[in-house]
């Protein structure tokens, strides 16, 4: 007999909170799923994403709609047809991977056909703010090898220059969260090239990114909001050089592994990204991180509190999740 439990939780974000082009938050709100069978418990976490019409309530209701099937033994493979891609399926899929690992005595990496997991280097994210405050944040994080810079549109050229001046040795990636437009695009792009930015994530709105197909550039452009599970990512090849795979969008590790293979077949670079969650949310994504070109799984580093046991970080080096946490 298998049982399902759903728990909503809040974790305080460190410092003044976390800000992107769509707003600022002081807490990470997450939903945790546990599945218990034969004395073993698997767990998974998701973060509902308002950009795609999700809320804590709507995601919880989606999971509850599958409760009978899950408690009746629904498998990971059948789950893909039972729930749509999104945060709800991610939490359940992650819990099923963890449960399968614990019941079988194998690691999730073994179940996925992967070699033993190795440490990776993750980006560390700087919230969008004034150029002056971002300069200070960059100086404090200048020892980190990879910084992700959140942007918001107008004035981003000054923000990029300020970060680069104060973190001269760090590799930079930037994320505009769809905030650029035809009026500031060239100026912001020029600033990225001058700063030696390695990757620009979703500079234009997903429904107005055709400009990217017409331009020459020296910076890798990565699709995030333009990437949709269930749609062939080949349609993005004329506009983007890389794709950002997020488990809360793909609907879990099971689909993310398929997306990873499809991206490689199309010769995309791959970024593994995350929402603002705890170590439990990062754990299944760590499997994708093993072969990703860019790793952005710093959610726990941005929190004032995390789960126990947490994933271990030494600076920006991220270690495999402990079995007691996941997998």
């Amino acid at each position: 007999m298998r049982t399902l439990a759903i728990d909503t939780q809040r974790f305080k974000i460190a410092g003044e909170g976390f800000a992107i082009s769509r707003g600022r938050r002081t807490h990470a709100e997450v939903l945790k799923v546990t599945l218990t069978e034969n004395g073993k418990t698997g767990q998974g976490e998701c973060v509902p994403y308002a950009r795609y019409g999700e809320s804590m309530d709507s995601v919880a209701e989606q999971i509850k709609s599958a409760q009978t099937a899950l408690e009746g033994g629904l498998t990971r493979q059948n789950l893909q047809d039972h729930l749509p891609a999104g945060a709800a399926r991610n939490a359940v899929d992650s819990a099923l991977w963890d449960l399968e690992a614990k019941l079988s005595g194998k690691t999730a990496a073994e179940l996925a056909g992967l070699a033993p997991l190795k440490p990776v280097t993750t980006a560390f994210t700087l919230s969008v703010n004034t150029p002056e405050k971002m300069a200070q944040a960059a100086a404090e994080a200048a020892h980190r090898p990879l910084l992700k810079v959140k942007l918001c549109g107008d004035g981003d050229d000054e923000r990029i220059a300020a970060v680069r001046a104060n973190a001269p040795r760090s590799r930079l990636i930037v994320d505009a969260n769809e905030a650029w437009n035809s009026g500031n695009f060239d100026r912001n792009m020029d600033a990225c090239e001058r700063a030696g930015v390695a990757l620009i994530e979703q500079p234009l709105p997903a429904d107005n990114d055709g400009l990217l197909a017409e331009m020459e550039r020296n910076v890798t452009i990565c699709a995030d909001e333009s990437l949709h599970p269930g749609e062939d990512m080949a349609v993005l090849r004329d506009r983007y050089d890389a794709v950002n795979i997020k488990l809360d969008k793909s609907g879990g590790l099971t689909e993310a592994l398929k997306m990873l293979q499809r991206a490689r077949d199309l010769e995309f670079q791959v970024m593994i990204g995350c929402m603002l969650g705890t170590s439990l949310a990062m754990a299944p994504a760590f499997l994708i991180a093993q072969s990703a070109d860019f790793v952005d799984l710093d959610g726990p580093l941005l929190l004032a509190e995390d789960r126990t046991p947490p994933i271990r970080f030494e600076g920006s080096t991220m270690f495999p999740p402990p079995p007691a946490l996941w997998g």
Side-chain angles (χ1 to χ4, degrees), residues 183-205:
N184 58 38
F185 184 89
D186 289 341
R187 184 169 62 254
N188 291 338
M189 179 63 72
D190 288 345
C192 285
E193 293 193 2
R194 288 194 301 272
V197 168
L199 175 142
I200 302 171
E201 191 179 343
Q202 198 67 43
L204 295 169

Side-chain angles (χ1 to χ4, degrees), residues 63-80:
I63 296 170
K64 289 175 184 177
S65 75
Q67 182 166 358
T68 299
L70 283 166
E71 294 185 338
L74 186 71
T75 65
R76 278 192 298 108
Q77 292 74 19
N78 292 334
L79 175 68
Q80 309 309 302

Side-chain angles (χ1 to χ4, degrees), residues 71-231:
E71 294 185 338
L74 186 71
T75 65
R76 278 192 298 108
Q77 292 74 19
N78 292 334
L79 175 68
Q80 309 309 302
D81 298 321
H82 206 89
L83 287 176
R89 195 175 77 190
N90 177 35
V92 175
D93 183 76
S94 298
L96 284 169
W97 273 96
D98 191 30
L99 180 62
E100 185 176 344
K102 288 179 169 60
L103 289 172
S104 67
K106 297 181 178 180
T107 66
E110 289 175 307
L111 294 174
L114 302 179
L117 300 178
K118 298 179 180 180
V120 299
T121 298
T122 181
F124 180 80
T125 303
L126 305 182
S127 290
V128 67
N129 212 314
T130 64
E132 294 76 18
K133 288 189 176 182
M134 293 187 76
Q136 180 181 350
E140 293 171 355
H143 61 286
R144 295 184 180 273
L146 180 63
L147 296 180
K148 178 174 176 175
V149 183
K150 287 290 188 178
L151 300 173
C152 64
D154 291 338
D156 282 348
D157 54 333
E158 297 178 13
R159 295 181 179 91
I160 294 162
V163 170
R164 172 49 80 206
N166 287 274
R169 296 183 180 84
S170 299
R171 194 179 187 200
L172 300 183
I173 57 180
V174 304
D175 184 5
N177 286 114
E178 304 181 278
W180 291 4
N181 55 45
S182 58
N184 58 38
F185 184 89
D186 289 341
R187 184 169 62 254
N188 291 338
M189 179 63 72
D190 288 345
C192 285
E193 293 193 2
R194 288 194 301 272
V197 168
L199 175 142
I200 302 171
E201 191 179 343
Q202 198 67 43
L204 295 169
D207 60 359
N208 191 30
D209 60 2
L211 175 64
L212 298 175
E214 306 167 6
M215 63 170 291
E216 295 183 7
R217 70 261 188 161
N218 297 315
V219 183
T220 297
I221 306 293
C222 180
D224 181 359
E225 285 87 350
S226 289
L227 176 66
H228 301 288
E231 296 182 7

Side-chain angles (χ1 to χ4, degrees), residues 274-323:
C274 67
M275 305 299 289
L276 189 51
T278 74
S279 285
L280 179 57
M282 307 302 125
F286 195 87
L287 275 65
I288 303 294
Q290 296 298 290
S291 60
D293 301 286
F294 298 90
V295 176
D296 177 27
L297 298 178
D298 65 340
L301 294 177
L302 305 176
L303 300 177
E305 52 188 345
D306 194 6
R307 297 190 184 277
T308 302
I311 287 177
R312 179 164 64 98
F313 290 85
E314 292 183 5
S316 292
T317 300
M318 181 180 187
F319 290 82

Side-chain angles (χ1 to χ4, degrees), residues 45-47 54 84-91 93-94 97 229 244-257 259 271-275 280-289 297 326:
E45 177 184 304
C46 71
V47 181
E54 295 179 335
R89 195 175 77 190
N90 177 35
D93 183 76
S94 298
W97 273 96
N244 185 354
I245 298 174
K246 292 179 177 176
L247 270 59
D248 275 318
K249 284 180 58 181
S250 71
L253 177 62
T254 301
E255 178 65 21
L257 288 166
M259 294 176 69
M271 180 178 187
I272 178 65
C274 67
M275 305 299 289
L280 179 57
M282 307 302 125
F286 195 87
L287 275 65
I288 303 294
L297 298 178
W326 187 89

